[in-house]
Amino acid sequence: LDLPGIENANVHTNETIFTLDRLPKRLAVIGGGPIGVELGQAFAMLGSEVSLVTRDARLLPREDEEVSGVLQRKLEEMNVQLYFNSSPKRFEGKTRLMIELPGGLEHQLGYDVCLSAIGRESVTDSLNLDFAGIQTDERGQLQVNEYLQTTNSQVFVVGDAAGAHQFTHAAELHASLVLSNFFKPGILKKKLNTDHMGWVTYTSPEIASFGLSEAKLAERSKKYELLRVPFTHDDRAITDENREGLMKLFVDPNQGTIYGGSIVAEGAGEIVGELMLAQRHQMNLGDLFKKVYPYPTASRINRAAAQKFMGRKLSERAKRLLHFLY
């Protein structure tokens, strides 16, 4: 973060915020991505007065808007002050942050600690990459092919430096791919495929997303059906007071094969694992429908999604026949 007056400000990042030995009365968060939202909510739960400033029109802009909206309402209920379409302009002294609101108006935020959660960028200036024949793009990001190979064929990249998904489990996938390819002849080497990648934002409720997004499906001209499954009537969600949860799945309209989706709910990161497995092995919702789920486990919401899909395949004639029989 580079703002006038920052030299006098008490600014932390996610790498230094855990060194605090006192709970700040007021926390200002700059950035509405996963780190800003996770840590902002955590401090609010501990008792800090939290204000969050983001240049985006909503929280977690890479997530489904309806899904992130559930979390946004929860933060508002917790009295977290959210400033959208706003930008930090300067620090004044040690306790004031001036921000620019939509329309150009300035607003003063009082704070004791400021958390900068504006993202990460590659810093490669000291590596003398040109000498090694390793090229970067206009943003300074390493140029990497589908095998995670740089423009120097002897140098590969794993982890955040490879760009795209900056997760620990993405680094694990990268390392597995590179090591596996070392022992294969060229024709058998595999390319990086992130179509089955999943990730979790550790808020309350959690947000878990996986597979292909709606935008990616449209980009690939894939026909899909949206299954929207609220947790409202799920028995486990009722007992856990988790009825605001929501699942959205993108599936093949004919076969019910799962392409991807998102869940916002307590424990969403644990529920999504089964769906990721089904997507990875091209299982369909009919396969999940046949599974006997112990009652009342949280994962039964997956069966509810399958049941919704299977039910809509019944013709009106079949429905009338079943009504007559039963």
Side-chain angles (χ1 to χ4, degrees):
L1 187 64
D2 185 17
L3 292 176
I6 194 170
E7 64 277 1
N8 298 317
N10 186 11
V11 180
H12 285 267
T13 68
N14 66 302
E15 294 184 350
T16 64
I17 193 78
F18 297 100
T19 64
L20 294 176
D21 56 8
R22 291 177 183 271
L23 181 71
K25 185 176 187 301
R26 301 169 300 174
L27 176 73
V29 180
I30 301 176
I35 289 176
V37 173
E38 288 173 343
L39 287 173
Q41 187 185 44
F43 274 88
M45 287 176 162
L46 290 170
S48 296
E49 299 171 12
V50 177
S51 300
L52 188 149
V53 181
T54 175
R55 292 176 177 173
D56 295 302
R58 62 185 181 90
L59 298 177
L60 303 172
R62 295 185 180 181
E63 298 290 351
D64 179 272
E65 185 169 359
E66 186 180 14
V67 164
S68 64
V70 174
L71 174 62
Q72 182 174 315
R73 289 191 293 275
K74 180 67 175 291
L75 292 177
E76 289 169 344
E77 290 171 5
M78 297 174 64
N79 295 319
V80 174
Q81 301 300 306
L82 303 173
Y83 296 88
F84 298 113
N85 298 307
S86 302
S87 303
K89 303 305 291 182
R90 64 187 181 277
F91 290 97
E92 294 185 349
K94 295 184 177 181
T95 60
R96 295 186 302 278
L97 171 64
M98 303 303 297
I99 65 174
E100 184 178 309
L101 302 175
L105 289 175
E106 281 200 348
H107 176 70
Q108 177 180 289
L109 282 183
Y111 75 95
D112 299 301
V113 171
C114 178
L115 170 66
S116 174
I118 58 175
R120 312 177 81 85
E121 63 181 8
S122 296
V123 180
T124 58
D125 299 345
S126 63
L127 297 180
N128 204 9
L129 296 178
D130 289 341
F131 186 76
I134 300 173
Q135 297 176 12
T136 58
D137 60 22
E138 64 278 359
R139 298 179 295 111
Q141 188 71 43
L142 293 169
Q143 292 187 24
V144 178
N145 67 14
E146 294 169 308
Y147 301 94
L148 295 174
Q149 186 178 40
T150 67
T151 49
N152 178 332
S153 62
Q154 301 300 308
V155 179
F156 295 79
V157 184
V158 300
D160 289 1
H165 300 94
Q166 296 186 349
F167 306 118
T168 300
H169 53 282
E172 293 173 346
L173 174 64
H174 297 163
S176 175
L177 177 75
V178 170
L179 288 172
S180 176
N181 280 343
F182 280 162
F183 301 99
K184 294 177 181 176
I187 195 172
L188 295 179
K189 292 183 186 297
K190 291 185 177 180
K191 298 178 181 179
L192 178 67
N193 181 354
T194 58
D195 284 357
H196 311 294
M197 180 67 70
W199 56 92
V200 180
T201 302
Y202 294 98
T203 46
S204 177
E206 290 180 350
I207 294 179
S209 299
F210 73 102
L212 301 177
S213 65
E214 197 165 13
K216 188 67 73 175
L217 287 167
E219 181 184 306
R220 298 186 186 183
S221 300
K222 268 188 175 292
K223 291 183 178 180
Y224 64 93
E225 179 179 334
L226 168 63
L227 277 181
R228 187 179 179 280
V229 187
F231 281 53
T232 314
H233 302 296
D234 179 78
D235 287 358
R236 179 58 178 264
I238 293 170
T239 57
D240 287 349
E241 298 183 350
N242 183 28
R243 298 178 71 180
E244 77 277 7
L246 174 67
M247 173 189 290
K248 296 180 76 172
L249 294 181
F250 307 114
V251 301
D252 180 285
N254 298 313
Q255 303 300 322
T257 308
I258 302 169
Y259 292 138
S262 296
I263 306 171
V264 55
E266 297 296 342
E270 313 307 322
I271 296 171
V272 78
E274 179 179 58
L275 299 172
M276 291 177 65
L277 181 67
Q279 187 226 5
R280 179 69 181 83
H281 293 283
Q282 297 185 309
M283 297 166 64
N284 59 43
L285 290 170
D287 295 320
L288 296 185
F289 186 69
K290 296 171 187 173
K291 175 182 171 181
V292 179
Y293 288 81
Y295 178 89
T297 53
S299 61
R300 283 177 65 90
I301 196 70
N302 296 340
R303 189 179 191 278
Q307 190 170 10
K308 186 169 187 176
F309 180 81
M310 300 299 289
R312 75 53 131 177
K313 295 179 72 175
L314 286 172
S315 67
E316 286 304 315
R317 184 179 178 184
K319 289 179 182 177
R320 287 196 298 270
L321 177 60
L322 286 171
H323 184 73
F324 173 77
L325 290 174
Y326 290 97

